[in-house]
């Protein structure tokens, strides 16, 4: 409170409000796993999506990404990144939707920092599509489902 007894808005509250609004945005664009309920954010996981998207810790990057016969979408994220949490259902959706033509992995930038500079991950969330071992598409920030689908389909169809 300030001297007059009025409540001051903290930047944390504003940030939380922005996350709720972004959660509503993700739901509107079709990710489907983040819902806005009573002004709060909630997540509903999908076992199928969890199996379709693997962590880099579970695999060898060179073998699974660079030497893959299929295009590979890599989600560079951090556990502390709010927008990364919001785009996660969209990445899960891509893993399920394109499971026959696309491999999808998540890379925690705090645990695997060598890939941050190698693939010029300057902001989060950051999605990279690899084809024949080369990074052919970069998407930074929140993206609508249709735009991501268009970008992926250019490389898998």
């Amino acid at each position: 409170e300030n001297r007059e007894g009025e409540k001051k808005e903290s930047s944390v509250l504003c940030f939380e409000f922005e996350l709720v609004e972004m959660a509503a945005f993700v739901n509107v664009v079709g990710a489907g796993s983040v819902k806005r309920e009573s002004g709060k954010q909630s997540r509903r996981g999908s076992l199928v999506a969890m199996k379709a998207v693997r962590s880099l810790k579970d695999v060898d990057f060179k073998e699974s990404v660079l030497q893959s016969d299929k295009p590979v979408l890599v989600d560079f994220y951090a556990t502390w990144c709010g927008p990364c949490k919001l785009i996660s259902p969209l990445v899960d959706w891509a893993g399920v939707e394109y499971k026959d033509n696309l491999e999808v992995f998540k890379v925690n930038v705090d645990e695997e920092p060598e890939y941050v500079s190698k693939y010029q991950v300057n902001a989060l969330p950051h999605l990279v599509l690899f084809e024949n071992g080369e990074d052919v598409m970069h998407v930074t920030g929140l993206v609508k489902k249709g735009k991501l689908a268009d970008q992926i389909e250019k490389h898998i169809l």
Side-chain angles (χ1 to χ4, degrees), residues 40-153:
K40 293 185 180 177
Q41 173 182 345
S42 66
R43 298 193 192 285
R44 297 190 180 123
S46 164
L47 187 57
V48 174
M50 287 180 198
K51 290 181 179 179
V53 179
R54 294 177 285 168
S55 169
L56 178 65
K57 291 169 88 174
D58 300 334
V59 299
D60 175 58
F61 190 87
K62 183 178 180 184
E63 181 181 326
S64 298
V65 176
L66 302 178
Q67 296 175 348
S68 176
D69 294 336
K70 297 180 186 179
V72 179
L73 180 66
V74 178
D75 174 17
F76 290 93
Y77 76 100
T79 57
W80 47 263
C81 171
C84 296
K85 293 175 185 175
L86 295 175
I87 202 169
S88 183
L90 188 56
V91 174
D92 294 342
W93 167 83
V96 173
E97 183 71 17
Y98 301 109
K99 68 180 178 227
D100 295 332
N101 301 314
L102 180 73
E103 296 286 337
V104 181
F105 296 97
K106 292 185 180 228
V107 175
N108 184 326
V109 296
D110 293 327
E111 294 175 0
E112 306 291 341
E114 65 272 18
Y115 300 114
V116 172
S117 59
K118 186 170 185 171
Y119 296 107
Q120 295 143 5
V121 178
N122 299 320
L124 297 175
H126 192 95
L127 305 176
V128 180
L129 185 70
F130 290 87
E131 192 171 28
N132 299 318
E134 299 292 323
D135 53 323
V136 295
M137 177 196 82
H138 288 251
V139 176
T140 302
L142 293 176
V143 61
K144 291 183 178 182
K145 181 179 179 181
K147 182 177 178 182
L148 181 61
D150 289 345
Q151 292 293 321
I152 291 172
E153 290 172 4

